[in-house]
Amino acid sequence: MAMTRTSLAAALAASTLLAAPLQAQDYGTFDGYTLRVKLIGGAQYEPLYTLIPEWEKATGAKVEILSRKSHFELDREMKQDIAAGNTGYCVFSSHTNFAPQYNAMNQPLNDLIPAEVVAEFSPLVIQHATVDGQLMSLPRHSDVSNMYYVKSLYEDADNKAKFKERFGYDLTPPETWDQATDQAIFFANPPDRYGTHFAGKDEAITGRFYEMLVADGGKLLNDDFTAAFNGPEGVMALNWFVNLYKEKAVPAGTTNYVWDDLGLGFAAGAVAYDLDWAGWAAFFNGKDSKIAGDVGVALAPKGAGGKRTGWSGSHSFSITQTCDNKEAAASLIMFLTSHDAQMMEARSGLLPTRTKVWDDVLAEFEAKGDTFMVEVFKVFGESMRDHAFTPPLIPEWGEISNALWPQLQAAILGDKTAEEALNEAAEEVNLIMSDAGYN
Amino acid sequence: MSRLRRYLRDNAVPLALLSPAVLVILLVVLLPLLFSLYTSFSNYRLIRPESLWDVVWFRNYVRVLGDGDFWAALGRTVLFLTLVLNLEMLLGLGLALMVNRLTFGQRTMRTIMMFPMMFSPILVGFQFKYMFNDTIGVVNNALQSLGLTSHAIPFLVDRWLAFASIAIAEIWMSTSIFAILILAGLFAMPRDPVEAARVDGCTNWQVFRHITLPFLMPFIYIAMTIRSLDVARAYDIVDVMTGGGPAGRTELLWTLIARTAYDDSRMGQANAMAYVSILLSIFFTWYFFRKLMAARKHLGVF
């Protein structure tokens, strides 16, 4: 019986997934040892853990999962563990942007992960996971935001003509954030449709502001770790959000939105374009989306500084300093970030951290004829390679974020001018950095 | 000294029996309280364990007391507490009076009345967050479908609407506590004074004002005391619905404290805030207990 090309590819993928990880690399023998771990939980993270029995079978060890929480809950737990000295486990889910906070418990991985394994990861991602020259975590999958848009709105002849008449240039997915502003205003027809929306609270709005600040040529902190974001570039970056809010091109509730609100809103066809994470791609084009088959993907636009927005980071795995079997811990995290484990995550749209997985998953999507996911991986691949950057890798990132976001909201809602809001945030950030001993 | 020895000898058995409980309370309550009091005088940061020994004396308190955001959150918490407690009391009283008059299906009604209490505050927060959402929320959709408004009302953004939305969620969840306690009071109320008043020609309002309500006041103040402690540490609902925002518009003490303690890891400063808020809780508890005692005296219980 002849197999179709798609089913052959699927069968090959399934067989390699089940068999290859343990054949490709020797993960060691740890008979009778129980490895205690704390892992991030949630729908998109859990499928990877179905591979853990394979590692147990190969090494003779057992994995005991002590926690399976959302990222923010896990972050709180990590901080409490550090405070209480309660780090009697070995492996924990981390994030490259949060890892510096866990310095007190983090075991540098340089001597535990062989250099040839590290070399198989994307250099930029490894750079983001390195703090003060030490590899603090092994990246599992990355993320960066790019532009999703409703294709039919951009292809509509009437829209094209009206837009050209009003703004003097062709309607295409925005190349700059100024064009994005024009288009958000053009497409807005509240309450039925808005031009766009943005995550407006917590670290989400800080991150969006931060990447816009960088794209506009600014920076968050000076070399002496004092606030640098309250200059002209910061005001320009913040005013992008302020103007869209004033123009009612975004929903009035956008200052309360975080990622789920954005993803669900775009999938409901409520906005024309959405700067969002790669993990949403399959959902936007899936059966639960009202815009399935009508989703375009483009690189995130450029700011006034000629740089594209690209706030990024990777979910990762770390090892505790107090771990009683660091070799077993290293073995597990290498297994969970192996080529085949990453292929499994990449098939669901998560961005891999190994260079070869990018090529292999693209080839697989091409073989399946999944043109949408091919486009997604090409755009996000370029973004990860050329435009991704992290927040400053210092433990105070969370505190800086908490000083910034209420002030950003105050400017967006019109309680303060952008200058006032940023100056007040800068004052608070300077105090935080001073208390932390930076200056 | 001999009096103390005699007292200990005479009460040896009860003291011995009580000592484990006292010890547990000391360990579980007093030690953490003393520890947190100490940390409020330090630069303690969760992610830097060595900072526990970095004593900054009154710096945290000076900062907290000089921080406009803290005072705004404190003022908002007091306002929230006052509004929510009074509305819950009025609605609970109304519910209890209505259920008390039922002659059929009263038990079922009592059970139904308790449903909101069975939900976790986090679930209630999510439920109301989506109800009041400006684009996909059922309230906005209903208002637009009925033609009452043509635009999306930003319930969780506007300063007072957001405050009211959170208050509504809190009231929805906890009014039944008042209703149940007041209903217990109504069940316990002797009928004789009411019947005597009616014979004397009192109106329904006069019976309620001068007989029923005074009798219920101790029950109301007990409910007030319990709920004042709950509302003063309101966190889950506010955190889920608005996170204290936008722009601090719904920031209550506990959202501010939790963010400072866990997200910022500044446990020392958070504990200084918490000690100020504990004083607030003690004040409300003391106030309602005084009222409770006055009400009991009025009834001639003492």
Side-chain angles (χ1 to χ4, degrees), chain A residues 76 79-80 82-83 101 191 194 245 251-253 255-257 395-396 399 402 405-406 409-410 413 415 431 435-436, chain B residues 43-49 59 63 134-135 144 150 154 156-157 159 235 243 246-247 249 259 262-266:
Chain A
R76 286 183 170 195
K79 289 170 180 168
Q80 290 174 66
I82 292 171
Q101 294 186 110
Y194 294 89
Y245 201 84
T255 46
N256 285 328
Y257 290 3
E396 288 70 26
E399 284 183 74
N402 286 337
W405 68 261
Q409 287 185 326
L413 296 173
D415 292 354
L431 199 63
D435 281 355
Chain B
N43 187 28
Y44 184 34
R45 286 158 184 260
L46 288 180
I47 55 170
R48 294 178 191 228
R59 190 183 79 182
R63 276 200 189 156
D134 56 309
T135 51
Q144 285 166 28
S150 59
L156 296 175
V157 174
R159 191 179 298 278
Y235 172 71
R249 288 173 174 185
R259 189 161 44 252
Y262 294 108
D263 297 353
D264 292 352
S265 304
R266 280 185 277 175

Short mmCIF file of all heavy atoms in Angstrom, two decimals, chain A residues 76 79-80 82-83 101 191 194 245 251-253 255-257 395-396 399 402 405-406 409-410 413 415 431 435-436, chain B residues 43-49 59 63 134-135 144 150 154 156-157 159 235 243 246-247 249 259 262-266:
data_model
loop_
_atom_site.label_atom_id
_atom_site.label_comp_id
_atom_site.label_asym_id
_atom_site.label_seq_id
_atom_site.Cartn_x
_atom_site.Cartn_y
_atom_site.Cartn_z
N ARG A 76 7.26 33.23 41.95
CA ARG A 76 7.08 33.54 43.37
C ARG A 76 7.62 32.41 44.24
O ARG A 76 8.23 32.64 45.28
CB ARG A 76 5.60 33.74 43.68
CG ARG A 76 5.07 35.05 43.16
CD ARG A 76 3.63 35.27 43.55
NE ARG A 76 3.25 36.63 43.22
CZ ARG A 76 2.17 37.23 43.68
NH1 ARG A 76 1.35 36.58 44.47
NH2 ARG A 76 1.89 38.46 43.34
N LYS A 79 11.40 32.50 44.45
CA LYS A 79 11.89 33.56 45.34
C LYS A 79 11.73 33.13 46.81
O LYS A 79 12.60 33.38 47.63
CB LYS A 79 11.13 34.85 45.09
CG LYS A 79 11.50 35.50 43.76
CD LYS A 79 10.55 36.62 43.47
CE LYS A 79 10.86 37.30 42.17
NZ LYS A 79 9.78 38.19 41.74
N GLN A 80 10.59 32.50 47.10
CA GLN A 80 10.37 32.04 48.47
C GLN A 80 11.34 30.92 48.83
O GLN A 80 11.82 30.83 49.96
CB GLN A 80 8.93 31.59 48.65
CG GLN A 80 7.96 32.76 48.61
CD GLN A 80 6.51 32.32 48.64
OE1 GLN A 80 6.04 31.77 49.61
NE2 GLN A 80 5.79 32.56 47.56
N ILE A 82 14.36 30.59 47.66
CA ILE A 82 15.67 31.22 47.92
C ILE A 82 15.67 31.80 49.33
O ILE A 82 16.61 31.59 50.10
CB ILE A 82 15.94 32.33 46.88
CG1 ILE A 82 16.15 31.72 45.49
CG2 ILE A 82 17.16 33.16 47.28
CD1 ILE A 82 16.21 32.72 44.36
N ALA A 83 14.58 32.51 49.67
CA ALA A 83 14.51 33.16 50.97
C ALA A 83 14.57 32.13 52.10
O ALA A 83 15.21 32.35 53.12
CB ALA A 83 13.25 33.98 51.07
N GLN A 101 17.52 36.76 38.65
CA GLN A 101 16.92 36.87 39.99
C GLN A 101 17.26 35.66 40.85
O GLN A 101 17.19 35.73 42.07
CB GLN A 101 15.39 36.93 39.88
CG GLN A 101 14.85 38.15 39.22
CD GLN A 101 13.33 38.16 39.32
OE1 GLN A 101 12.75 38.94 40.03
NE2 GLN A 101 12.70 37.25 38.61
N PRO A 191 -17.52 49.99 18.27
CA PRO A 191 -16.93 48.89 19.05
C PRO A 191 -16.81 47.58 18.26
O PRO A 191 -16.50 46.56 18.85
CB PRO A 191 -17.95 48.72 20.19
CG PRO A 191 -19.26 49.06 19.57
CD PRO A 191 -18.98 50.11 18.54
N TYR A 194 -11.27 47.22 16.15
CA TYR A 194 -10.23 48.19 16.50
C TYR A 194 -9.02 47.96 15.59
O TYR A 194 -8.86 46.87 15.01
CB TYR A 194 -9.83 48.02 17.97
CG TYR A 194 -10.96 48.37 18.91
CD1 TYR A 194 -11.86 47.39 19.32
CD2 TYR A 194 -11.15 49.67 19.35
CE1 TYR A 194 -12.92 47.71 20.16
CE2 TYR A 194 -12.21 50.00 20.20
CZ TYR A 194 -13.09 49.01 20.59
OH TYR A 194 -14.14 49.33 21.42
N TYR A 245 -4.40 55.28 22.01
CA TYR A 245 -5.49 55.27 22.99
C TYR A 245 -6.38 56.49 22.79
O TYR A 245 -7.61 56.37 22.79
CB TYR A 245 -4.91 55.23 24.41
CG TYR A 245 -5.91 54.73 25.42
CD1 TYR A 245 -6.10 53.37 25.62
CD2 TYR A 245 -6.69 55.62 26.17
CE1 TYR A 245 -7.03 52.90 26.53
CE2 TYR A 245 -7.63 55.16 27.09
CZ TYR A 245 -7.79 53.79 27.27
OH TYR A 245 -8.73 53.33 28.16
N PRO A 251 -8.97 49.13 21.99
CA PRO A 251 -10.10 49.04 22.92
C PRO A 251 -9.80 49.83 24.21
O PRO A 251 -8.65 49.87 24.65
CB PRO A 251 -10.21 47.55 23.23
CG PRO A 251 -9.45 46.87 22.16
CD PRO A 251 -8.40 47.81 21.68
N ALA A 252 -10.84 50.39 24.79
CA ALA A 252 -10.65 51.19 26.01
C ALA A 252 -10.07 50.34 27.14
O ALA A 252 -9.37 50.84 28.00
CB ALA A 252 -11.97 51.78 26.44
N GLY A 253 -10.35 49.04 27.10
CA GLY A 253 -9.88 48.17 28.19
C GLY A 253 -8.49 47.61 27.96
O GLY A 253 -8.03 46.77 28.73
N THR A 255 -5.66 48.58 28.61
CA THR A 255 -4.71 48.70 29.73
C THR A 255 -4.88 47.58 30.75
O THR A 255 -4.06 47.45 31.65
CB THR A 255 -4.87 50.06 30.45
OG1 THR A 255 -6.25 50.28 30.68
CG2 THR A 255 -4.29 51.19 29.64
N ASN A 256 -5.95 46.81 30.61
CA ASN A 256 -6.12 45.64 31.50
C ASN A 256 -5.77 44.34 30.79
O ASN A 256 -5.90 43.27 31.38
CB ASN A 256 -7.56 45.54 31.99
CG ASN A 256 -7.87 46.56 33.05
OD1 ASN A 256 -7.01 46.92 33.83
ND2 ASN A 256 -9.09 47.06 33.07
N TYR A 257 -5.40 44.43 29.52
CA TYR A 257 -5.20 43.18 28.76
C TYR A 257 -3.81 42.60 29.01
O TYR A 257 -2.84 43.32 29.16
CB TYR A 257 -5.33 43.44 27.26
CG TYR A 257 -6.73 43.77 26.77
CD1 TYR A 257 -7.80 43.89 27.64
CD2 TYR A 257 -6.97 43.95 25.41
CE1 TYR A 257 -9.06 44.21 27.19
CE2 TYR A 257 -8.24 44.27 24.94
CZ TYR A 257 -9.28 44.40 25.83
OH TYR A 257 -10.53 44.71 25.38
N PRO A 395 19.06 41.19 38.24
CA PRO A 395 17.97 40.70 39.11
C PRO A 395 16.85 41.73 39.29
O PRO A 395 15.74 41.36 39.65
CB PRO A 395 18.66 40.44 40.44
CG PRO A 395 20.11 40.35 40.15
CD PRO A 395 20.36 41.19 38.94
N GLU A 396 17.13 43.00 39.04
CA GLU A 396 16.15 44.05 39.34
C GLU A 396 15.16 44.28 38.20
O GLU A 396 14.35 45.21 38.27
CB GLU A 396 16.87 45.37 39.68
CG GLU A 396 17.56 45.37 41.04
CD GLU A 396 18.78 44.49 41.09
OE1 GLU A 396 19.39 44.27 40.02
OE2 GLU A 396 19.13 44.01 42.18
N GLU A 399 11.60 44.51 39.38
CA GLU A 399 11.31 45.75 40.15
C GLU A 399 11.22 46.95 39.21
O GLU A 399 10.36 47.82 39.40
CB GLU A 399 12.42 45.99 41.17
CG GLU A 399 12.35 45.10 42.38
CD GLU A 399 13.43 45.45 43.37
OE1 GLU A 399 13.31 46.48 44.05
OE2 GLU A 399 14.40 44.69 43.48
N ASN A 402 7.92 46.87 37.59
CA ASN A 402 6.82 47.29 38.47
C ASN A 402 6.82 48.78 38.76
O ASN A 402 5.79 49.36 39.12
CB ASN A 402 6.86 46.50 39.77
CG ASN A 402 6.38 45.09 39.56
OD1 ASN A 402 5.64 44.82 38.62
ND2 ASN A 402 6.81 44.18 40.41
N TRP A 405 5.31 50.17 34.90
CA TRP A 405 4.02 49.96 34.24
C TRP A 405 2.86 50.80 34.78
O TRP A 405 2.04 51.28 33.98
CB TRP A 405 3.66 48.49 34.05
CG TRP A 405 3.37 47.64 35.25
CD1 TRP A 405 4.21 46.79 35.86
CD2 TRP A 405 2.12 47.52 35.96
NE1 TRP A 405 3.59 46.15 36.91
CE2 TRP A 405 2.31 46.58 36.99
CE3 TRP A 405 0.86 48.11 35.82
CZ2 TRP A 405 1.29 46.22 37.87
CZ3 TRP A 405 -0.15 47.75 36.70
CH2 TRP A 405 0.07 46.83 37.71
N PRO A 406 2.79 51.06 36.09
CA PRO A 406 1.68 51.94 36.51
C PRO A 406 1.83 53.35 35.93
O PRO A 406 0.84 54.01 35.61
CB PRO A 406 1.80 51.95 38.03
CG PRO A 406 2.55 50.72 38.38
CD PRO A 406 3.52 50.55 37.27
N GLN A 409 0.76 53.30 32.30
CA GLN A 409 -0.72 53.30 32.25
C GLN A 409 -1.26 54.71 32.51
O GLN A 409 -2.21 55.15 31.85
CB GLN A 409 -1.28 52.35 33.30
CG GLN A 409 -1.11 50.89 32.98
CD GLN A 409 -1.79 50.01 34.02
OE1 GLN A 409 -1.83 50.35 35.20
NE2 GLN A 409 -2.30 48.88 33.59
N ALA A 410 -0.65 55.40 33.49
CA ALA A 410 -1.13 56.75 33.83
C ALA A 410 -1.02 57.67 32.62
O ALA A 410 -1.92 58.49 32.36
CB ALA A 410 -0.32 57.31 35.00
N LEU A 413 -3.69 56.60 29.93
CA LEU A 413 -5.06 56.98 30.30
C LEU A 413 -5.24 58.49 30.44
O LEU A 413 -6.34 58.97 30.71
CB LEU A 413 -5.46 56.30 31.61
CG LEU A 413 -5.53 54.77 31.55
CD1 LEU A 413 -5.76 54.18 32.92
CD2 LEU A 413 -6.63 54.32 30.60
N ASP A 415 -3.80 60.51 32.70
CA ASP A 415 -3.65 61.07 34.05
C ASP A 415 -2.40 61.94 34.15
O ASP A 415 -2.32 62.84 34.97
CB ASP A 415 -3.55 59.95 35.10
CG ASP A 415 -4.86 59.19 35.24
OD1 ASP A 415 -5.85 59.61 34.62
OD2 ASP A 415 -4.87 58.17 35.96
N LEU A 431 15.98 54.86 42.68
CA LEU A 431 15.96 54.46 44.10
C LEU A 431 16.17 52.95 44.23
O LEU A 431 16.93 52.48 45.08
CB LEU A 431 14.61 54.87 44.70
CG LEU A 431 14.53 54.96 46.21
CD1 LEU A 431 15.47 56.04 46.73
CD2 LEU A 431 13.09 55.28 46.64
N ASP A 435 19.26 51.27 46.09
CA ASP A 435 19.06 50.32 47.20
C ASP A 435 19.76 48.99 46.94
O ASP A 435 20.23 48.32 47.86
CB ASP A 435 17.57 50.04 47.41
CG ASP A 435 16.88 51.16 48.16
OD1 ASP A 435 17.58 52.09 48.58
OD2 ASP A 435 15.65 51.10 48.30
N ALA A 436 19.77 48.61 45.67
CA ALA A 436 20.36 47.31 45.32
C ALA A 436 21.88 47.40 45.22
O ALA A 436 22.54 46.40 44.90
CB ALA A 436 19.77 46.82 44.00
N ASN B 43 16.51 45.67 55.18
CA ASN B 43 16.45 45.81 53.71
C ASN B 43 16.24 44.43 53.10
O ASN B 43 16.77 44.12 52.04
CB ASN B 43 17.78 46.42 53.23
CG ASN B 43 17.76 46.76 51.76
OD1 ASN B 43 16.71 47.04 51.20
ND2 ASN B 43 18.91 46.71 51.12
N TYR B 44 15.45 43.59 53.74
CA TYR B 44 15.32 42.18 53.35
C TYR B 44 14.70 42.02 51.97
O TYR B 44 13.59 42.47 51.71
CB TYR B 44 14.47 41.45 54.39
CG TYR B 44 14.33 39.96 54.17
CD1 TYR B 44 15.37 39.21 53.63
CD2 TYR B 44 13.16 39.30 54.50
CE1 TYR B 44 15.24 37.85 53.43
CE2 TYR B 44 13.02 37.94 54.32
CZ TYR B 44 14.07 37.23 53.78
OH TYR B 44 13.94 35.88 53.58
N ARG B 45 15.44 41.38 51.08
CA ARG B 45 14.96 41.07 49.74
C ARG B 45 14.98 39.55 49.57
O ARG B 45 15.99 38.92 49.87
CB ARG B 45 15.87 41.69 48.67
CG ARG B 45 15.69 43.16 48.57
CD ARG B 45 16.86 43.86 47.98
NE ARG B 45 16.56 45.27 48.04
CZ ARG B 45 16.12 45.98 47.01
NH1 ARG B 45 16.00 45.43 45.83
NH2 ARG B 45 15.82 47.24 47.15
N LEU B 46 13.87 39.01 49.07
CA LEU B 46 13.76 37.55 48.99
C LEU B 46 14.90 36.93 48.19
O LEU B 46 15.39 35.87 48.52
CB LEU B 46 12.43 37.17 48.34
CG LEU B 46 11.16 37.37 49.17
CD1 LEU B 46 9.95 36.94 48.37
CD2 LEU B 46 11.23 36.60 50.47
N ILE B 47 15.31 37.62 47.13
CA ILE B 47 16.30 37.00 46.24
C ILE B 47 17.73 37.21 46.73
O ILE B 47 18.66 36.73 46.10
CB ILE B 47 16.15 37.51 44.79
CG1 ILE B 47 16.24 39.03 44.74
CG2 ILE B 47 14.88 37.01 44.16
CD1 ILE B 47 16.35 39.58 43.32
N ARG B 48 17.90 37.97 47.82
CA ARG B 48 19.24 38.15 48.40
C ARG B 48 19.16 37.80 49.89
O ARG B 48 19.00 38.69 50.73
CB ARG B 48 19.69 39.59 48.24
CG ARG B 48 19.89 39.98 46.79
CD ARG B 48 20.30 41.43 46.69
NE ARG B 48 20.25 41.86 45.32
CZ ARG B 48 21.21 42.51 44.70
NH1 ARG B 48 22.30 42.82 45.34
NH2 ARG B 48 21.08 42.87 43.43
N PRO B 49 19.26 36.50 50.22
CA PRO B 49 19.05 36.07 51.61
C PRO B 49 19.93 36.81 52.61
O PRO B 49 19.52 37.05 53.74
CB PRO B 49 19.41 34.58 51.56
CG PRO B 49 19.22 34.17 50.14
CD PRO B 49 19.54 35.37 49.32
N ARG B 59 13.87 53.16 57.97
CA ARG B 59 13.84 53.62 56.58
C ARG B 59 12.58 53.16 55.84
O ARG B 59 11.94 53.94 55.13
CB ARG B 59 15.08 53.14 55.82
CG ARG B 59 15.22 53.81 54.47
CD ARG B 59 16.40 53.27 53.69
NE ARG B 59 16.09 51.98 53.08
CZ ARG B 59 16.96 51.26 52.37
NH1 ARG B 59 18.19 51.70 52.23
NH2 ARG B 59 16.60 50.12 51.83
N ARG B 63 9.78 55.64 54.32
CA ARG B 63 9.43 55.61 52.91
C ARG B 63 7.94 55.35 52.71
O ARG B 63 7.29 55.99 51.90
CB ARG B 63 10.22 54.52 52.19
CG ARG B 63 11.57 55.00 51.80
CD ARG B 63 12.13 54.14 50.71
NE ARG B 63 13.51 54.49 50.50
CZ ARG B 63 14.40 53.69 49.98
NH1 ARG B 63 14.05 52.48 49.60
NH2 ARG B 63 15.64 54.08 49.81
N ASP B 134 -14.62 45.14 28.21
CA ASP B 134 -15.21 46.18 27.35
C ASP B 134 -15.57 45.69 25.95
O ASP B 134 -16.44 46.27 25.31
CB ASP B 134 -14.25 47.37 27.25
CG ASP B 134 -12.90 46.97 26.76
OD1 ASP B 134 -12.33 46.02 27.31
OD2 ASP B 134 -12.41 47.58 25.81
N THR B 135 -14.93 44.62 25.46
CA THR B 135 -15.28 44.18 24.09
C THR B 135 -16.10 42.89 24.08
O THR B 135 -17.10 42.81 23.37
CB THR B 135 -14.02 43.98 23.23
OG1 THR B 135 -13.11 43.15 23.95
CG2 THR B 135 -13.35 45.29 22.91
N GLN B 144 -25.41 47.08 24.70
CA GLN B 144 -25.42 47.45 23.28
C GLN B 144 -26.60 46.80 22.55
O GLN B 144 -27.26 47.43 21.73
CB GLN B 144 -24.11 47.07 22.61
CG GLN B 144 -22.97 48.01 23.00
CD GLN B 144 -21.60 47.47 22.63
OE1 GLN B 144 -21.45 46.72 21.70
NE2 GLN B 144 -20.59 47.87 23.40
N SER B 150 -24.11 52.84 22.50
CA SER B 150 -23.58 52.43 21.19
C SER B 150 -22.07 52.20 21.26
O SER B 150 -21.46 51.81 20.29
CB SER B 150 -23.89 53.50 20.15
OG SER B 150 -23.29 54.72 20.57
N PRO B 154 -15.89 51.26 29.33
CA PRO B 154 -14.69 50.67 29.95
C PRO B 154 -14.86 50.45 31.45
O PRO B 154 -14.31 51.18 32.27
CB PRO B 154 -13.61 51.71 29.65
CG PRO B 154 -14.33 53.01 29.54
CD PRO B 154 -15.73 52.71 29.08
N LEU B 156 -13.69 48.37 33.52
CA LEU B 156 -12.54 48.07 34.35
C LEU B 156 -11.40 49.06 34.15
O LEU B 156 -10.28 48.82 34.57
CB LEU B 156 -12.05 46.64 34.07
CG LEU B 156 -13.07 45.55 34.43
CD1 LEU B 156 -12.58 44.18 34.02
CD2 LEU B 156 -13.40 45.56 35.93
N VAL B 157 -11.71 50.17 33.51
CA VAL B 157 -10.68 51.19 33.26
C VAL B 157 -11.04 52.51 33.95
O VAL B 157 -10.23 53.10 34.65
CB VAL B 157 -10.49 51.42 31.74
CG1 VAL B 157 -9.54 52.57 31.49
CG2 VAL B 157 -9.99 50.15 31.09
N ARG B 159 -12.02 55.24 36.45
CA ARG B 159 -11.66 55.24 37.87
C ARG B 159 -12.78 54.72 38.78
O ARG B 159 -12.58 53.82 39.58
CB ARG B 159 -11.31 56.68 38.27
CG ARG B 159 -10.66 56.82 39.61
CD ARG B 159 -10.33 58.29 39.87
NE ARG B 159 -9.39 58.82 38.90
CZ ARG B 159 -8.07 58.65 38.98
NH1 ARG B 159 -7.57 57.98 39.98
NH2 ARG B 159 -7.27 59.16 38.07
N TYR B 235 -7.69 40.73 48.16
CA TYR B 235 -6.56 40.64 47.24
C TYR B 235 -6.94 39.90 45.95
O TYR B 235 -6.80 40.46 44.85
CB TYR B 235 -5.39 39.93 47.92
CG TYR B 235 -4.26 39.64 46.97
CD1 TYR B 235 -3.48 40.67 46.48
CD2 TYR B 235 -4.01 38.34 46.53
CE1 TYR B 235 -2.46 40.42 45.58
CE2 TYR B 235 -2.98 38.09 45.63
CZ TYR B 235 -2.22 39.12 45.16
OH TYR B 235 -1.23 38.86 44.26
N GLY B 243 -5.69 43.94 38.82
CA GLY B 243 -4.30 43.96 39.28
C GLY B 243 -3.95 45.25 39.99
O GLY B 243 -2.79 45.63 40.07
N PRO B 246 -6.13 50.15 36.25
CA PRO B 246 -4.99 50.73 35.55
C PRO B 246 -4.51 52.00 36.26
O PRO B 246 -5.33 52.70 36.86
CB PRO B 246 -5.55 51.04 34.16
CG PRO B 246 -7.02 51.19 34.37
CD PRO B 246 -7.38 50.29 35.50
N ALA B 247 -3.22 52.22 36.16
CA ALA B 247 -2.58 53.40 36.74
C ALA B 247 -2.88 53.54 38.23
O ALA B 247 -3.07 54.65 38.72
CB ALA B 247 -2.98 54.67 35.98
N ARG B 249 -5.53 52.88 39.82
CA ARG B 249 -6.87 53.37 40.13
C ARG B 249 -7.64 52.45 41.07
O ARG B 249 -8.60 52.89 41.70
CB ARG B 249 -7.67 53.56 38.84
CG ARG B 249 -7.19 54.73 38.03
CD ARG B 249 -7.88 54.81 36.68
NE ARG B 249 -7.50 56.04 35.99
CZ ARG B 249 -8.01 56.43 34.85
NH1 ARG B 249 -8.91 55.66 34.24
NH2 ARG B 249 -7.64 57.55 34.28
N ARG B 259 2.61 42.87 45.64
CA ARG B 259 3.53 43.17 44.54
C ARG B 259 4.91 43.53 45.11
O ARG B 259 5.93 43.09 44.61
CB ARG B 259 2.97 44.30 43.67
CG ARG B 259 3.79 44.50 42.42
CD ARG B 259 3.10 45.23 41.31
NE ARG B 259 2.37 46.39 41.73
CZ ARG B 259 1.07 46.49 41.77
NH1 ARG B 259 0.34 45.48 41.39
NH2 ARG B 259 0.46 47.58 42.17
N TYR B 262 6.42 40.07 46.72
CA TYR B 262 6.76 38.91 45.89
C TYR B 262 7.28 39.28 44.51
O TYR B 262 8.24 38.68 44.03
CB TYR B 262 5.55 37.98 45.78
CG TYR B 262 5.20 37.38 47.11
CD1 TYR B 262 4.06 37.77 47.79
CD2 TYR B 262 6.05 36.46 47.70
CE1 TYR B 262 3.76 37.23 49.04
CE2 TYR B 262 5.76 35.92 48.94
CZ TYR B 262 4.61 36.31 49.60
OH TYR B 262 4.33 35.79 50.84
N ASP B 263 6.64 40.24 43.84
CA ASP B 263 7.12 40.59 42.50
C ASP B 263 8.40 41.41 42.59
O ASP B 263 9.32 41.23 41.80
CB ASP B 263 6.05 41.36 41.71
CG ASP B 263 4.81 40.52 41.49
OD1 ASP B 263 4.87 39.32 41.82
OD2 ASP B 263 3.79 41.03 41.01
N ASP B 264 8.44 42.35 43.57
CA ASP B 264 9.65 43.17 43.72
C ASP B 264 10.64 42.52 44.67
O ASP B 264 11.77 42.98 44.79
CB ASP B 264 9.28 44.55 44.29
CG ASP B 264 8.49 45.38 43.30
OD1 ASP B 264 8.38 44.95 42.15
OD2 ASP B 264 8.01 46.46 43.68
N SER B 265 10.19 41.50 45.39
CA SER B 265 11.02 40.80 46.40
C SER B 265 11.42 41.67 47.57
O SER B 265 12.29 41.31 48.34
CB SER B 265 12.31 40.23 45.77
OG SER B 265 12.01 39.40 44.72
N ARG B 266 10.82 42.86 47.71
CA ARG B 266 11.21 43.75 48.82
C ARG B 266 10.37 43.43 50.06
O ARG B 266 9.41 44.13 50.38
CB ARG B 266 11.01 45.21 48.40
CG ARG B 266 12.16 45.72 47.54
CD ARG B 266 12.00 47.19 47.24
NE ARG B 266 11.12 47.41 46.11
CZ ARG B 266 10.74 48.60 45.69
NH1 ARG B 266 11.14 49.68 46.31
NH2 ARG B 266 9.93 48.73 44.65
#
